[in-house]
Amino acid sequence: AQSVTQLDSHVSVSEGTPVLLRCNYSSSYSPSLFWYVQHPNKGLQLLLKYTSAATLVKGINGFEAEFKKSETSFHLTKPSAHMSDAAEYFCVFSSGAGSYQLTFGKGTKLSVIP
Amino acid sequence: GAVVSQHPSRVICKSGTSVKIECRSLDFQATTMFWYRQFPKQSLMLMATSNEGSKATYEQGVEKDKFLINHASLTLSTLTVTSAHPEDSSFYICSAREGQGRPEQYFGPGTRLTVT
């Protein structure tokens, strides 16, 4: 079965400190993996994607993620949190086959403390 | 690029009436569009997959006669909630995929439906 697990439902960091949002996946195939961000009452914005090219992926707003096949992980990081980063983050998986349906993690709420 | 719009952003309707939500890809042609539903503080739940010019594929448990989906062109898909009930109140989000071989989806801003 294919699935994605976000290990933390809520992460709280101080402004200016590093951000780490954890995601593990389970797949029999080479996956495509994404991180999306959702601000309150808004749609989802694509932060970055991994589609079997470089394992270290750089996204928008200073975020990056590293695909580690040996650990089946795709953790999202940012060196220095900004107040505007406070939002819900979803790790998303696509098997890359058929209709390319997305499987969503349950989400991690990031709070940034001034 | 890759902008998806939804209209309306908010709608309030009375029980028993129908409401239509539009999803448009503004700067690309979307061969496939998706409709999701999101409950408060929860993740997105896929309702249906819509391919241009063909019938939508509904996920298990989603009533196709209640949630009518039309994808008449490469830039427009509509979701009509028929005979709405208060339990249909939710945040509905559409997304679009740009073409074959590209798995990422671009999401609209969502529509908040409240049924009174």
Side-chain angles (χ1 to χ4, degrees):
Chain A
Q2 298 160 151
S3 65
V4 61
T5 303
Q6 290 183 244
L7 299 170
D8 308 292
S9 59
H10 191 189
V11 170
S12 185
V13 301
S14 296
E15 189 176 17
T17 64
V19 176
L20 170 63
L21 304 184
R22 298 182 295 165
C23 173
N24 285 104
Y25 70 92
S26 174
S27 174
S28 304
Y29 309 97
S30 293
S32 294
L33 291 159
F34 312 88
W35 278 97
Y36 284 87
V37 61
Q38 184 181 31
H39 289 91
N41 297 308
K42 301 289 185 184
L44 276 70
Q45 181 183 21
L46 179 65
L47 278 179
L48 49 80
K49 63 181 179 182
Y50 166 78
T51 54
S52 75
T55 56
L56 181 61
V57 181
K58 294 187 184 298
I60 61 172
N61 301 334
F63 284 95
E64 63 181 41
E66 186 170 7
F67 175 75
K68 291 187 177 180
K69 188 174 181 179
S70 60
E71 298 176 10
T72 60
S73 69
F74 190 58
H75 302 332
L76 181 70
T77 59
K78 182 173 180 177
S80 176
H82 192 273
M83 294 299 294
S84 60
D85 295 328
E88 189 86 19
Y89 290 79
F90 293 98
C91 182
V92 181
F93 166 98
S94 172
S95 68
S99 64
Y100 291 95
Q101 284 186 4
L102 300 183
T103 300
F104 284 79
K106 291 183 183 284
T108 298
K109 182 177 180 179
L110 176 65
S111 297
V112 182
I113 303 166
Chain B
V3 178
V4 176
S5 70
Q6 269 183 255
H7 179 79
S9 57
R10 267 179 201 276
V11 58
I12 300 172
C13 69
K14 293 186 176 181
S15 288
T17 62
S18 296
V19 61
K20 180 185 284 188
I21 302 169
E22 291 187 350
C23 177
R24 293 181 185 273
S25 56
L26 297 185
D27 51 2
F28 66 100
Q29 293 188 326
T31 54
T32 307
M33 287 183 163
F34 303 84
W35 287 95
Y36 296 84
R37 184 172 179 176
Q38 186 178 32
F39 292 100
K41 300 188 188 302
Q42 293 190 27
S43 189
L44 278 69
M45 181 191 78
L46 178 65
M47 299 174 65
T49 301
S50 168
N51 289 298
E52 185 264 339
S54 62
K55 288 186 178 181
T57 302
Y58 290 81
E59 294 302 299
Q60 192 171 8
V62 178
E63 299 175 61
K64 59 183 69 176
D65 293 332
K66 179 167 189 61
F67 298 100
L68 300 180
I69 292 171
N70 184 279
H71 192 164
S73 78
L74 284 172
T75 59
L76 173 65
S77 176
T78 60
L79 168 68
T80 302
V81 183
T82 63
S83 187
H85 288 104
E87 56 265 32
D88 298 326
S89 298
S90 193
F91 194 52
Y92 292 88
I93 305 176
C94 73
S95 70
R97 193 161 63 85
E98 196 166 353
Q100 300 298 329
R102 301 183 68 163
E104 63 267 30
Q105 295 176 19
Y106 298 95
F107 287 80
T111 297
R112 174 73 60 192
L113 170 63
T114 303
V115 184
T116 61

